[in-house]
Amino acid sequence: MKNEKKKLTRRDFTKLSAAALGSVPLMGFSNSLLQPMSQPKEGIQVNLFSKHLQFLGYNEMSEAAAEIGFDGLDLTVRPKGHVLPERAVEDLPKAVAAMKKYGLLTTMMTTNIIDANDPQSKQVLETASGLGLTHYRTGWLTYPEEKTIPESIEDHAQKLAALETLNKRLGLYGGYQNHAGNHVGAPIWDIPQILKNTSSLHMGCQYDIRHAMVEGGGSWQLGLRLVHSYINSIDIKDFKWGQKDGRWQPINVPLGEGMVDFDLYFKLLKKYNINVPVSLHLEYDLGGAEHGDSKITIDKKEVFAQMKKDLSFLRKAWQEA
């Protein structure tokens, strides 16, 4: 019965998500706001993580993302982001207006929000909801040394349940990202535990295959099988193991040049009926754009070209899987 409930939730989620989609980018942008709603290109909605365009203002980044071919932007609304949390009321409408001007979907944002009782977090989410954004990534949780891990999991489960209550009232879908390292959720088995008090609809998981493979190695398929019903958005990036500064570590690379088996991954996403908003990340060397620098050391055309290359790979891989 529990699995059946999850499937019903997934269908409800798909219907609700589809209702939030705007027009896809067109060849000409003058009438983009008048175009009817349509489905994402190739059956997948790809948003560019705006962190990689933080050397551009709202209009310039929106124009570039649209011309490259993205459906939308995953807007950084966090410290050092495109929109600072303390200025969300003033600046988030400006960013959204610029995105709409160029026919981009205003679906996703990345935040540092983790506490439903924080006044600034509430203000950010209320503003985003009023502007039509639907999906956001939360901040990260930790395992403090003064508590046992089970104790921390109980605290985190309550915190995310409270966040889901707020999300439900605002019509938002929060996603906690599994991130490699000493983070809650790095072992993917954490995800069901910290979300056990939620319905997994308005507070779920933003699944990251790169981080899942770094931590899970050959068991990532089991991890995906475990958490697939919690996924309401995904990150896409690639990596390989290599030596840097004298030690072995994951090295970020362009899509298709690393260890992620995108064909198998996308086949599994389709098997589990997961077609949710996607955020494309480019974390490899791009003259500082990979880090979200406000000034980059290479020509922006090189950055745009690599974005287009990764986007083309992603769309083809999804279509062929």
Side-chain angles (χ1 to χ4, degrees):
M1 291 297 293
K2 185 176 181 181
N3 289 337
E4 182 178 346
K5 182 179 179 182
K6 292 291 186 184
K7 290 181 180 178
L8 291 171
T9 298
R10 170 66 55 200
R11 286 196 291 270
D12 291 341
F13 168 76
T14 302
K15 289 169 63 179
L16 289 167
S17 296
L21 298 180
S23 302
V24 296
L26 304 171
M27 292 301 292
F29 304 118
S30 58
N31 296 317
S32 61
L33 297 181
L34 303 178
Q35 299 298 328
M37 293 172 67
S38 57
Q39 293 298 315
K41 298 174 183 176
E42 306 295 349
I44 187 172
Q45 178 198 121
V46 185
N47 302 272
L48 173 64
F49 192 22
S50 85
K51 165 185 170 180
H52 307 309
L53 290 178
Q54 285 191 191
F55 56 92
L56 298 176
Y58 300 148
N59 276 289
E60 293 85 357
M61 74 166 179
S62 299
E63 181 179 22
E67 289 186 355
I68 292 167
F70 288 98
D71 294 304
L73 284 164
D74 176 3
L75 188 64
T76 51
V77 185
R78 61 183 184 180
K80 299 182 179 180
H82 265 116
V83 176
L84 301 178
E86 63 270 21
R87 288 195 53 84
V89 173
E90 297 82 8
D91 292 345
L92 190 53
K94 298 175 185 176
V96 168
M99 292 165 65
K100 288 183 176 179
K101 176 182 177 182
Y102 290 98
L104 295 174
L105 300 175
T106 55
T107 302
M108 300 183 76
M109 66 177 182
T110 293
T111 74
N112 65 335
I113 292 170
I114 205 68
D115 185 356
N117 296 314
D118 175 63
Q120 187 177 91
S121 296
K122 280 186 177 181
Q123 189 175 62
V124 169
L125 294 181
E126 288 169 353
T127 303
S129 175
L131 292 168
L133 280 87
T134 54
H135 294 69
Y136 74 96
R137 190 177 91 192
T138 68
W140 291 315
L141 297 165
T142 62
Y143 286 126
E145 289 292 333
E146 63 271 17
K147 291 183 179 181
T148 66
I149 288 180
E151 287 173 340
S152 292
I153 285 176
E154 289 301 320
D155 291 344
H156 298 332
Q158 293 179 29
K159 184 168 288 189
L160 293 183
L163 199 52
E164 182 186 51
T165 299
L166 177 59
N167 291 341
K168 185 175 182 179
R169 176 170 68 82
L170 296 174
L172 297 173
Y173 306 95
Y176 184 84
Q177 182 194 22
N178 58 295
H179 194 291
N182 287 316
H183 298 286
V184 175
I188 202 71
W189 309 92
D190 286 353
I191 298 298
Q193 293 300 307
I194 63 174
L195 294 175
K196 64 184 178 181
N197 294 337
T198 76
S199 70
S200 81
L201 177 58
H202 288 279
M203 186 64 240
C205 172
Q206 182 169 105
Y207 184 79
D208 190 307
I209 182 61
R210 181 265 193 202
H211 290 297
M213 286 195 67
V214 168
E215 293 292 344
S219 69
W220 70 268
Q221 295 177 56
L222 291 177
L224 179 60
R225 178 181 168 190
L226 176 71
V227 304
H228 75 269
S229 59
Y230 297 92
I231 297 171
N232 58 23
S233 62
I234 61 177
D235 297 324
I236 293 291
K237 61 191 80 158
D238 204 350
F239 84 102
K240 61 183 179 181
W241 287 100
Q243 282 196 331
K244 185 177 180 181
D245 300 325
R247 66 185 183 91
W248 286 94
Q249 56 187 291
I251 306 295
N252 296 310
V253 296
L255 300 190
E257 297 182 15
M259 300 176 65
V260 175
D261 185 344
F262 286 104
D263 184 61
L264 176 57
Y265 176 47
F266 289 161
K267 278 182 169 64
L268 289 173
L269 291 183
K270 291 179 179 182
K271 172 184 176 181
Y272 295 133
N273 194 31
I274 298 173
N275 191 353
V276 296
V278 175
S279 179
L280 176 60
H281 294 216
L282 299 91
E283 306 286 353
Y284 48 88
D285 186 16
L286 283 176
E290 72 277 18
H291 301 305
D293 291 351
S294 58
K295 294 183 179 180
I296 58 176
T297 59
I298 63 176
D299 191 309
K300 62 183 180 181
K301 291 181 180 179
E302 294 182 47
V303 178
F304 298 159
Q306 192 58 56
M307 289 175 171
K308 189 173 185 66
K309 180 181 176 183
D310 275 9
L311 177 61
S312 297
F313 176 92
L314 172 54
R315 290 202 187 283
K316 183 179 180 182
W318 178 267
Q319 186 177 25
E320 294 179 352

